[in-house]
């Protein structure tokens, strides 16, 4: 995105993409350049508007018009590009171990292990047989028959053409689409060593007549093929760990539920639970689906979903989240969300999409890999020509050319960003932080200067209550009844506080007529043939409502205490005042201080009047306040705060603040329970704790640092490795790189990048800096002031 424009999705995937979304599992990718080929193929499918292929997760996310896009056309496009694809449905529940796809995957893993084992065995024999040639000396008692070229040819052929078969398949597929990839480099390098060695094996006399020794390089072909395959095997094992979060989340889902139907309790598979089912949850069991407690009470461990470590007490009427652990009591609940609609399913789906998205920093690697393989082939040809022309030695020219082809590793570049993103989004999910797109992690870490906080439900508890009722003309309960009649039709938290107070006082609330809500101002209705308005004093004044100026002192006192004051008017006359308090969360001041310690400006953006807003800000430690802002005006204020090279994050409840969340560079929705507004934000905090914002920023900074480490290593490895393999050090040191070492380096480069990304699994949020202790005054000595 530009620094001055609205935020958007990762390259190729728009946040506003309307229509359908399809996820494809891709098979056959060998390096990062494959992703560009598949993306180009998908982009040509009619109706596709955006596509992103992730090399690390081996998945593609495609968006487009569902009226035009045929999923089978997407699969055909991938297959025509030389790869295999299948449509991935919502597989958040435990998949069947007899599923054909899983069986095929396990078979492929077993075949790879078998190839590695056979490759290692045959390569070891070849390596031992080549020791005399490599050392340039006779070894007493050495079985020279192992050095027989004919035997080495027989031992190498299975490695070259069976163990390394997929390199040839990949290279041929790349050739058919007029491109080149890592398979091309490996196939060219190992084939050069293998087929060159056949010539001195079959025609040794030709070399003798030229005064040359008929050296063979079968061990180079076999060992390089095996090492690269060992690296691929290790890389796959490491990459599987990057998806550990998905497996853990799916594993949280219980397999059965104890349903009460027609008065009979029975255990049924979780897939058969329907909305409206009554379910009994006993101590020690997991809550099967999202719902509401009907009978009983208990304490639940929600840490696996929200990241909160303390158990939460629940009783009749409270929501419960599927996959959370019931600790003590037994209760009966009603299923409200099942299957793919549960919070757990949404989390799994969101993590899967985030792991498949691209961060802007990945564009650097994508641009390099686009020309990387052709450039390496060019360097290899140049190496061969120069060594043969300058040294007149075709053997040295061949060895160095093979080294260049083998050591080049586009895989490390392709894995540098997506593996870190996969691990970070998975770790974030464990901490109750749901990242929708990879770009959000980068923007939180890079150039973020301001964090804007909403008040109600974000900085405060979000559970306002009426604390003061004042009226000069009637009883407080009569005033409360009048207000509750109007507010019963409103969904605003302050309105609900008024209704709850009236219900707690046992007041009967009759219906109102002609109710109208004024967004950000108040509400009005007709009650018992009289007009009643309730809301901001400024709104009532603007409508010409008269009120006694002597009430102003009372209003100012309440507002200075951080309370919201609303007026109640009847027949165009102010008849009373209500004070509503919403205490700040105990952790909010700590979170605000941590954000400020990070060098970020924290701003409170609220619809409250300046006096109340300033009082709340003082309690939280916030220095800058923007008050009396209506919901529709918040986005405009966010737009004013944004400027080039200075990004703004907005933290709100995700519902009333949706426009402001969308306008900010990073929108963070904070809430609790199953109604978290995931769609409205870039990042969603399942827990209501504001410290989650601090954790999200710390995680994003750790992720960006990890990506930069990976990219630095990948670039440095290729920048230094290719010239060394070409023999750049030979004029100064007389040292040449053995192609087998080049193969080992190439294999380890990808593994090291993935291993570095896996370090993010150990990310822990940093605790706040302890406040300095204020020394207590000295205690006076008895009988005087002390010495």
């Amino acid at each position: 995105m530009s620094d001055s424009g609205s935020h958007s999705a990762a390259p190729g995937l728009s946040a506003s993409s309307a229509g359908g979304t399809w996820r494809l599992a891709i098979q056959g990718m060998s390096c990062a350049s494959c992703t560009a080929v598949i993306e180009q193929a998908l982009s040509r499918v009619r109706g596709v508007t955006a596509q992103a292929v992730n090399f690390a997760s081996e998945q593609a996310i495609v968006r487009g018009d569902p009226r035009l896009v045929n999923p089978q056309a997407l699969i055909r496009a991938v297959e025509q590009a030389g790869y295999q694809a299948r449509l991935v449905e919502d597989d958040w529940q435990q998949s069947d171990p007899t599923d054909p796809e899983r069986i095929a995957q396990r078979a492929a893993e077993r075949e790879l292990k078998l190839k590695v084992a056979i490759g290692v065995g045959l390569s070891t024999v070849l390596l031992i047989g080549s020791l005399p040639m490599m050392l340039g000396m006779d070894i007493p008692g050495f079985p020279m028959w192992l050095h027989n070229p004919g035997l080495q040819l027989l031992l190498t052929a299975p490695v070259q053409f069976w163990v390394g078969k997929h390199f040839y398949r990949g290279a041929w597929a790349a050739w058919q689409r007029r491109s080149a990839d890592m398979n091309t480099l490996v196939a060219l390098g190992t084939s050069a060593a293998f087929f060159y060695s056949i010539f001195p094996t079959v025609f040794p006399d030709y070399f003798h007549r030229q005064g040359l020794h008929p050296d063979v390089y079968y061990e180079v072909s076999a060992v390089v093929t095996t090492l690269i395959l060992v690296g691929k095997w290790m890389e796959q094992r490491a990459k599987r760990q990057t998806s550990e979060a998905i497996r853990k989340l799916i594993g949280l889902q219980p397999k059965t539920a104890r349903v009460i139907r027609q008065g009979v309790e029975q255990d049924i598979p979780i897939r058969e639970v329907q909305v409206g089912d009554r379910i009994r949850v006993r101590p020690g069991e997991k809550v099967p689906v999202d719902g509401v407690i009907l009978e009983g009470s208990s304490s639940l461990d929600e840490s696996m979903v929200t990241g909160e470590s303390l158990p939460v007490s629940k009783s009749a009427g409270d929501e419960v989240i599927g996959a959370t652990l019931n600790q003590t009591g037994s209760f009966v609940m009603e299923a409200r969300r099942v299957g793919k609609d549960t919070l757990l399913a949404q989390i799994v789906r969101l993590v899967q999409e985030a792991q498949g998205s691209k961060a802007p920093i990945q564009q650097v690697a994508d641009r390099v890999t686009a020309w990387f393989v052709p450039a390496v082939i060019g360097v290899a040809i140049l190496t061969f020509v120069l060594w043969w022309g300058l040294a007149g030695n075709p053997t040295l020219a061949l060895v160095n050319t093979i080294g260049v082809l083998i050591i080049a590793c586009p895989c490390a570049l392709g894995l540098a960003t997506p593996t870190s993103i996969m691990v970070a989004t998975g770790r974030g999910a464990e901490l109750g932080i749901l990242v929708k797109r990879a770009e959000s992690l980068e923007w939180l870490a890079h150039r973020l200067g301001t964090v804007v906080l909403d008040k109600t439900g974000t900085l405060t508890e979000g559970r306002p209550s009426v604390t003061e009722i004042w009226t000069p003309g009637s009883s407080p309960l009569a005033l409360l009844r009048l207000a509750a009649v109007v507010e019963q039709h409103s969904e605003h938290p302050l309105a609900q506080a008024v209704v709850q107070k009236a219900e707690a006082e046992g007041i009967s609330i009759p219906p109102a007529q002609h109710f109208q809500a004024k967004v950000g101002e108040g509400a009005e209705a007709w009650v018992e043939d009289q007009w009643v308005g309730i809301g901001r004093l400024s709104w009532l004044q603007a409508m010409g409502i008269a009120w006694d100026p002597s009430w102003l002192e009372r209003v100012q006192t309440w507002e200075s205490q951080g309370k919201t004051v609303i007026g109640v008017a009847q027949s165009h006359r102010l008849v009373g005042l209500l004070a509503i308090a919403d205490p700040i969360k105990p952790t909010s001041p700590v979170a605000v201080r941590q954000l400020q310690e990070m060098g970020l400006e924290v701003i409170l953006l609220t619809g409250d009047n300046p006096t109340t807003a300033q009082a709340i800000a003082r309690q939280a430690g916030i220095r800058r306040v923007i008050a009396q802002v209506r919901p529709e005006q918040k986005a405009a204020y966010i737009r004013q705060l944004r400027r080039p090279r200075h990004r703004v994050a907005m933290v709100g409840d995700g519902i009333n603040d949706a426009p402001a969340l969308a306008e900010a560079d990073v929108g963070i929705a904070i809430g609790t329970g199953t109604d978290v507004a995931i769609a409205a934000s870039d990042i969603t905090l399942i827990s209501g704790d504001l410290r989650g914002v601090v954790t999200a920023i710390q995680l994003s900074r750790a992720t960006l640092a990890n990506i930069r480490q990976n990219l630095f290593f990948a670039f440095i490895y290729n920048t230094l490795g290719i010239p060394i393999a070409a023999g750049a050090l030979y004029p100064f040191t007389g040292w040449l790189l053995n192609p087998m070492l080049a193969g080992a380096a190439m294999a380890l480069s990808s593994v090291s990048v993935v291993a570095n990304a896996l370090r993010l699994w150990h990310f822990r949020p940093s605790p706040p800096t302890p406040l300095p202790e204020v020394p207590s005054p000295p205690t006076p000595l008895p009988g005087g002031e002390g010495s």
Side-chain angles (χ1 to χ4, degrees):
M1 70 152 264
S2 65
D3 283 310
S4 59
S6 299
H7 76 276
S8 61
L13 288 178
S14 169
S16 60
S17 293
T21 300
W22 299 268
R23 195 153 49 89
L24 301 176
I26 308 293
Q27 292 180 348
M29 289 194 295
S30 59
C31 65
S33 57
C34 299
T35 63
V37 174
I38 298 173
E39 286 178 353
Q40 288 175 5
L42 291 170
S43 68
R44 291 193 287 267
V45 177
R46 182 169 177 262
V48 170
T49 58
Q51 64 287 322
V53 179
N54 189 303
F55 176 51
S57 64
E58 297 181 331
Q59 290 192 351
I61 295 177
V62 185
R63 292 186 179 141
D65 188 341
R67 295 169 298 179
L68 301 175
V69 177
N70 181 351
Q72 293 305 315
L74 300 176
I75 294 173
R76 280 196 301 272
V78 174
E79 290 176 344
Q80 288 170 2
Y83 306 90
Q84 296 81 49
R86 66 176 178 89
L87 193 65
V88 179
E89 303 292 344
D90 285 329
D91 56 351
W92 61 274
Q93 289 185 327
Q94 289 284 16
S95 56
D96 187 352
T98 62
D99 179 68
E101 293 293 341
R102 293 193 65 189
I103 293 173
Q105 185 180 15
R106 288 197 296 267
E109 290 174 356
R110 286 196 298 269
E111 183 182 359
L112 178 59
K113 289 173 68 175
L114 178 63
K115 286 183 175 180
V116 167
I118 292 176
V120 168
L122 293 176
S123 298
T124 302
V125 175
L126 287 163
L127 199 58
I128 293 172
S130 303
L131 283 177
M133 186 192 77
M134 288 191 295
L135 298 176
M137 57 183 289
D138 292 329
I139 303 175
F142 186 85
M144 293 305 295
W145 57 271
L146 286 176
H147 191 50
N148 182 281
L151 175 63
Q152 291 192 339
L153 171 60
L154 292 175
L155 293 174
T156 305
V159 179
Q160 186 71 26
F161 299 110
W162 181 71
V163 174
K165 177 174 62 176
H166 82 278
F167 294 127
Y168 284 103
R169 282 183 174 174
W172 175 245
W175 171 260
Q176 287 181 313
R177 59 177 179 264
R178 302 295 185 269
S179 65
D181 58 16
M182 188 205 77
N183 293 310
T184 308
L185 299 179
V186 176
L188 283 174
T190 58
S191 296
F194 181 81
F195 289 107
Y196 170 85
S197 299
I198 291 178
F199 191 64
T201 301
V202 179
F203 305 106
D205 293 341
Y206 171 81
F207 287 84
H208 290 307
R209 286 196 299 270
Q210 302 295 325
L212 299 172
H213 194 277
D215 293 328
V216 294
Y217 294 94
Y218 291 118
E219 79 285 351
V220 171
S221 168
V223 171
V224 166
T225 299
T226 301
L227 284 173
I228 294 174
L229 214 59
V230 169
K232 280 290 173 188
W233 176 65
M234 294 172 64
E235 180 186 312
Q236 281 190 9
R237 287 172 58 88
K239 280 162 65 176
R240 277 201 299 272
Q241 294 182 51
T242 64
S243 301
E244 187 67 24
I246 296 291
R247 285 192 291 273
K248 282 185 177 179
L249 286 170
I250 292 175
L252 293 175
Q253 179 72 34
K255 295 181 180 179
T256 61
R258 193 168 187 81
V259 176
I260 306 173
R261 290 177 178 172
Q262 298 178 345
V264 178
E265 295 187 11
Q266 54 182 321
D267 291 326
I268 65 172
I270 194 70
R271 297 174 187 271
E272 297 179 10
V273 176
Q274 300 176 0
V275 173
D277 274 344
R278 291 164 57 89
I279 303 170
R280 181 174 299 281
V281 183
R282 293 166 294 189
E285 292 181 338
K286 287 182 178 179
V287 178
V289 294
D290 298 349
V292 176
I293 295 179
L294 300 177
E295 305 169 11
S297 61
S298 183
S299 62
L300 276 75
D301 179 3
E302 298 182 342
S303 60
M304 63 286 294
V305 176
T306 66
E308 290 287 344
S309 57
L310 296 177
V312 182
S313 297
K314 301 279 186 177
S315 57
D318 289 335
E319 285 189 339
V320 289
I321 304 173
T324 54
L325 182 64
N326 181 30
Q327 290 192 327
T328 54
S330 174
F331 59 86
V332 176
M333 59 172 283
E334 179 184 322
R336 292 286 178 88
R337 294 182 182 88
V338 301
K340 64 181 182 180
D341 297 325
T342 62
L343 179 64
L344 178 64
Q346 293 182 60
I347 293 173
V348 170
R349 192 157 53 244
L350 195 68
V351 173
Q352 286 173 332
E353 290 192 11
Q355 291 187 341
S357 62
K358 288 187 178 182
I361 196 173
Q362 191 171 339
Q363 295 178 36
V364 179
D366 288 345
R367 284 195 294 266
V368 171
T369 53
W371 55 259
F372 184 86
V373 173
V376 169
I377 293 174
V379 172
I381 294 172
L382 182 63
T383 300
F384 185 83
V385 171
L386 288 177
W387 273 98
W388 198 352
L390 297 177
N393 189 327
T395 301
L396 282 179
L398 177 69
V399 170
N400 290 328
T401 300
I402 294 170
V404 170
L405 291 170
I406 296 303
I407 200 169
C409 187
C411 296
L413 288 169
L415 290 168
T417 301
T419 47
S420 297
I421 293 297
M422 288 179 70
V423 178
T425 51
R427 180 62 182 139
E430 286 190 339
L431 296 171
I433 301 167
L434 302 182
V435 180
K436 184 180 291 184
R437 291 182 294 272
E439 66 180 2
S440 305
L441 283 175
E442 182 173 338
W443 289 348
L444 271 182
H446 189 52
R447 295 180 184 168
L448 181 66
T450 302
V451 177
V452 180
L453 304 178
D454 179 45
K455 180 179 77 73
T456 304
T458 301
L459 199 65
T460 65
E461 293 283 1
R463 293 191 293 270
S465 58
V466 177
T467 59
E468 311 283 350
I469 305 173
W470 185 81
T471 176
S474 62
S475 71
L477 292 183
L479 181 71
L480 181 61
R481 175 182 178 275
L482 195 63
V485 172
V486 178
E487 297 287 45
Q488 66 179 318
H489 300 287
S490 173
E491 296 181 355
H492 195 281
L494 299 185
Q496 293 175 8
V498 173
V499 175
Q500 288 170 2
K501 178 69 173 177
E503 290 175 344
E505 296 290 344
I507 296 174
S508 176
I509 306 175
Q513 288 78 40
H514 309 299
F515 171 83
Q516 282 189 326
K518 305 297 181 182
V519 178
E521 300 288 2
E524 58 183 332
W526 285 82
V527 180
E528 297 168 349
D529 296 328
Q530 287 190 314
W531 177 89
V532 177
I534 178 170
R536 293 174 184 268
L537 293 176
S538 58
W539 173 60
L540 296 173
Q541 280 183 305
M543 292 198 306
I545 304 297
W547 62 300
D548 192 335
S550 63
W551 295 8
L552 184 60
E553 183 178 353
R554 185 180 303 275
V555 170
Q556 292 174 340
T557 300
W558 286 349
E559 289 180 346
S560 66
Q561 297 170 353
K563 299 176 181 178
T564 300
V565 181
I566 58 176
V568 181
Q570 185 178 34
S571 301
H572 297 281
R573 183 175 62 88
L574 195 66
V575 295
L577 302 172
L578 301 177
I580 301 176
D582 185 10
I584 70 169
K585 298 171 184 174
T587 57
S588 291
V590 177
V592 168
R593 180 162 58 89
Q594 283 186 277
L595 291 171
Q596 292 168 343
E597 288 174 352
M598 290 174 158
L600 302 173
E601 180 187 24
V602 182
I603 298 176
L604 176 61
L605 183 66
T606 177
D608 262 329
N609 67 78
T611 306
T612 301
Q614 289 288 354
I616 294 293
R618 279 195 300 272
Q619 296 176 42
I622 298 174
R623 303 184 185 96
R624 185 178 176 187
V625 177
I626 302 175
Q628 283 187 323
V629 181
R630 293 195 302 273
E632 68 272 16
Q633 295 175 324
K634 289 184 178 181
Y637 278 98
I638 295 294
R639 200 176 302 117
Q640 292 175 13
L641 291 170
R642 295 173 62 203
R643 52 187 182 273
R645 304 182 68 82
H646 182 97
R647 294 196 168 111
V648 176
M650 170 71 193
V651 187
D653 59 18
I655 302 170
N656 297 327
D657 302 311
L661 290 172
E663 181 63 39
D665 294 300
V666 181
I668 304 176
I670 185 169
T672 55
T674 57
D675 291 323
V676 177
I678 291 176
S681 60
D682 301 306
I683 293 175
T684 302
L685 307 180
I686 302 179
S687 165
D689 195 334
L690 196 59
R691 288 178 298 182
V693 178
V694 178
T695 302
I697 295 173
Q698 291 177 351
L699 176 62
S700 69
R701 290 181 176 181
T703 304
L704 194 61
N706 191 272
I707 290 172
R708 285 172 172 161
Q709 292 164 5
N710 286 345
L711 287 174
F712 175 80
F713 172 79
F715 278 120
I716 288 296
Y717 165 80
N718 284 290
T719 303
L720 297 180
I722 293 174
I724 290 173
L729 297 180
Y730 185 77
F732 310 103
T733 64
W735 186 77
L736 291 173
L737 182 66
N738 189 307
M740 289 184 287
L741 292 178
M746 186 268 203
L748 290 174
S749 61
S750 297
V751 176
S752 60
V753 166
V754 177
N756 186 53
L758 289 174
R759 292 192 305 112
L760 287 171
W761 272 123
H762 305 294
F763 167 81
R764 295 285 185 277
S766 303
T769 305
L771 291 172
E773 293 186 7
V774 179
S776 56
T779 304
L781 295 174
E785 296 182 357
S787 53

